[in-house]
Amino acid sequence: MFGLSVNTVLGSLLVLVLTPLSALLLYQWFLAVASFFFRPASASTRTAKSRFLILIPAHNEVMGIGSSLDSIGRLDYPSSHYRAVVVADRCTDDTAAVARKAGAECFERLDGQAGKGAALAWGIQQARNAKIPFGAVVIVDADTVVDRNLLSAFDEKLQSGHDVQQGYNYLSNPWSSPFTRLIAVTSTLRNGRYYTGKTVLGIPGMLTGTGMCISAEVLNRHGWTAFSVGEDWEFSVQLLLAGDRIHFNPLAKAFAQESQGLKQASRQRLRWASGRYAIMGEKLWALILKAVRDRSYSLIDEAITLLAPNYSSQASLALLCLLGSWFIASDPSWVFVWYWSIGAFIAIGGYFMLGVVSTEAPGKALAGLALVPIFLPWRLAIELLGMMGYGRRHWGRMSRGRISS
């Protein structure tokens, strides 16, 4: 092909993939090391100051809303300082009735623009119309239970000037299936190593859909204006472009109900992937240009976070590079690519093992490895379909199987 050998073409392609992949792996390891230096503030008798509106958007979530509200009722925070409000969006089940029976206020939305983002904007406005006092909104999905210290952790950082926060999102059912065991590992890496490392280094994070805290001041300035299927990515970028910082708070923990397997998770993962690629296409260059104009490393970092493939896609790329480099390993000019690919594969494998040992039950987490040969191609297919625009449908309830106690 134009005088180039097959080895030259393949070797050049592999170098083009390995260069950014290796840089990303090194950066992830750097943040992982930094995360070990996170030290929670010493326990204090700080008086609760912030008043919270806990907003729970729900579409046909009768199976999970009760557990979510029960956990909110057990919060270690003055009950006079928070109100839980469920936005029952176009529900055709008993979500609203279950919410009211659990003691929550419930706003029922029957028309208007579809989607989680629209439900959030409507719910915030309804709370204002009802004159519910709040200094910050905490957004919790209806399939999520919260740690009893969630509001205390958010309050402490609000008093320190962090007006937008993202909490630590984990699973409420990490060991219920091989799939959830793998997701437990990647969630630990994402929250406990990647974003916690950013917190240690003073680098902003991104919003991730649930366990979010946004001050009333920020909402007064911007409103909730993210209505795509990737509303968390969209609002994150809008805030960053407006000059706001997103603080990742490792002590504000929420636990979401995860799907039991690939079939249940496919539609949700496709929606997430599609939403992220849509925001990437629309906002990535704006983020990069602002970063260059403002000479802001943190904005470059957020652009990398938006652009970077997820851990399973990184593993798939490392594996493909390893296989591809094997075909040219006998060529002295390209043997270095073979050793480079081995190094990248070891780096991503070691990173996964770091996630395993960082979970609360490494032995149980290791049992999820049996699913990896199926999980990796499935996840790569999801990413490719999302990149092509499939899955950009409106928000709805995903099947997750039995609700764990």
Side-chain angles (χ1 to χ4, degrees):
M1 183 184 296
F2 303 106
L4 298 177
S5 68
V6 173
N7 284 4
T8 299
V9 173
L10 180 56
S12 299
L13 288 174
L14 290 172
V15 169
L16 287 174
V17 174
L18 283 167
T19 299
L21 178 61
S22 300
L24 179 60
L25 289 171
L26 287 171
Y27 183 52
Q28 288 172 175
W29 270 105
F30 173 68
L31 291 178
V33 171
S35 72
F36 286 99
F37 291 90
F38 174 74
R39 297 291 181 269
S42 57
S44 67
T45 56
R46 182 191 297 267
T47 302
K49 291 184 178 180
S50 305
R51 291 184 176 272
F52 292 98
L53 166 65
I54 303 177
L55 201 61
I56 309 165
H59 176 73
N60 291 343
E61 291 285 358
V62 69
M63 295 294 293
I65 191 68
S67 297
S68 181
L69 291 171
D70 285 346
S71 71
I72 290 171
R74 293 192 295 269
L75 283 166
D76 186 15
Y77 202 75
S79 58
S80 59
H81 281 54
Y82 71 90
R83 300 268 287 274
V85 173
V86 174
V87 179
D89 186 55
R90 307 162 188 269
C91 294
T92 57
D93 63 3
D94 293 329
T95 296
V98 171
R100 291 188 177 105
K101 186 176 180 180
E105 296 174 67
C106 184
F107 299 148
E108 295 189 68
R109 183 171 180 260
L110 305 176
D111 52 22
Q113 182 179 349
K116 179 180 175 180
L120 288 172
W122 184 84
I124 292 168
Q125 187 56 53
Q126 291 299 114
R128 285 172 171 158
N129 293 344
K131 301 192 183 305
I132 297 176
F134 61 90
V137 173
V138 172
I139 297 169
V140 176
D141 283 349
D143 64 343
T144 299
V145 296
V146 300
D147 183 81
R148 65 194 307 269
N149 294 316
L150 180 82
L151 295 187
S152 298
F154 280 146
D155 175 59
E156 180 181 351
K157 294 305 178 183
L158 282 170
Q159 294 186 46
S160 300
H162 295 291
D163 285 340
V164 184
Q165 300 176 54
Q166 174 58 57
Y168 188 119
N169 287 337
Y170 192 52
L171 285 65
S172 63
N173 58 332
W175 317 123
S176 61
S177 72
F179 179 81
T180 63
R181 291 168 195 240
L182 285 180
I183 301 302
V185 174
T186 58
S187 294
T188 298
L189 285 171
R190 193 71 168 169
N191 291 273
R193 297 291 164 241
Y194 186 79
Y195 279 125
T196 299
K198 286 191 173 194
T199 296
V200 171
L201 297 171
I203 303 171
M206 297 286 259
L207 299 174
T208 58
T210 187
M212 303 181 289
C213 177
I214 305 165
S215 74
E217 181 182 349
V218 169
L219 288 171
N220 288 338
R221 287 203 309 268
H222 305 298
W224 182 277
T225 54
F227 303 113
S228 70
V229 294
E231 77 288 330
D232 47 357
W233 290 104
E234 183 182 2
F235 199 57
S236 294
V237 175
Q238 288 175 0
L239 291 172
L240 293 167
L241 290 174
D244 293 289
R245 291 172 65 89
I246 302 168
H247 176 77
F248 180 75
N249 190 335
L251 301 181
K253 296 185 177 182
F255 306 88
Q257 180 78 15
E258 183 55 80
S259 301
Q260 297 292 312
L262 305 182
K263 183 177 180 180
Q264 291 179 344
S266 291
R267 189 156 64 99
Q268 184 186 57
R269 266 19 186 229
L270 183 56
R271 179 170 60 85
W272 290 350
S274 182
R276 182 171 75 91
Y277 285 116
I279 301 307
M280 191 188 304
E282 294 171 6
K283 302 292 186 181
L284 180 62
W285 281 112
L287 200 57
I288 292 173
L289 289 173
K290 181 173 175 58
V292 172
R293 186 170 58 249
D294 296 350
R295 298 180 181 179
S296 171
Y297 166 77
S298 63
L299 288 180
I300 288 291
D301 178 87
E302 296 311 299
I304 292 171
T305 299
L306 179 61
L307 182 62
N310 57 42
Y311 302 135
S312 55
S313 296
Q314 292 174 38
S316 295
L317 288 172
L319 181 59
L320 290 172
C321 286
L322 189 64
L323 293 174
S325 63
W326 180 79
F327 287 101
I328 59 173
S330 60
D331 187 336
S333 300
W334 294 103
V335 68
F336 76 93
V337 177
W338 165 245
Y339 293 112
W340 189 358
S341 298
I342 292 174
F345 189 74
I346 291 173
I348 190 65
Y351 193 65
F352 179 83
M353 291 307 299
L354 174 64
V356 169
V357 300
S358 297
T359 66
E360 67 274 25
K364 293 180 178 180
L366 274 175
L369 282 173
L371 189 64
V372 167
I374 300 173
F375 182 89
L376 290 183
W378 168 80
R379 197 66 179 88
L380 189 59
I382 292 289
E383 291 298 305
L384 292 173
L385 289 171
M387 194 180 300
M388 292 186 288
Y390 291 95
R392 289 177 195 172
R393 297 178 181 177
H394 291 301
W395 161 65
R397 185 183 185 277
M398 300 298 121
S399 175
R400 303 178 185 89
R402 184 177 57 86
I403 298 295
S404 299
S405 58

